[in-house]
Amino acid sequence: AADRLADRLCDWLGLDELDPAASLYDHGADSLTLLDLIAEVKDHFGVDLELSQLSHQVSLAEVLARLHE
């Protein structure tokens, strides 16, 4: 799960690698990027996330923690 989402985020953000604890916004993500991420989570993991559930400093680690709730 982590690798798949990290790969997708790197593609969307134009990064070679992503620190799971780093704020996605600091890496150039915006609300549209997060909506794509939410759609990816739903399609591949069957988990419904809402943008409002994510913090203002949302990270990959935070999204992964939500998958396990």
Side-chain angles (χ1 to χ4, degrees), residues 12-32:
W12 294 330
L13 299 173
L15 302 172
D16 292 327
E17 59 183 59
L18 177 68
D19 174 359
S23 166
L24 297 177
Y25 291 115
D26 288 349
H27 284 297
D30 57 22
S31 57
L32 295 177

Side-chain angles (χ1 to χ4, degrees), residues 37-51:
L37 179 60
I38 287 169
E40 185 81 8
V41 166
K42 176 151 179 65
D43 289 349
H44 292 281
F45 305 103
V47 176
D48 282 314
L49 291 179
E50 297 291 331
L51 197 52

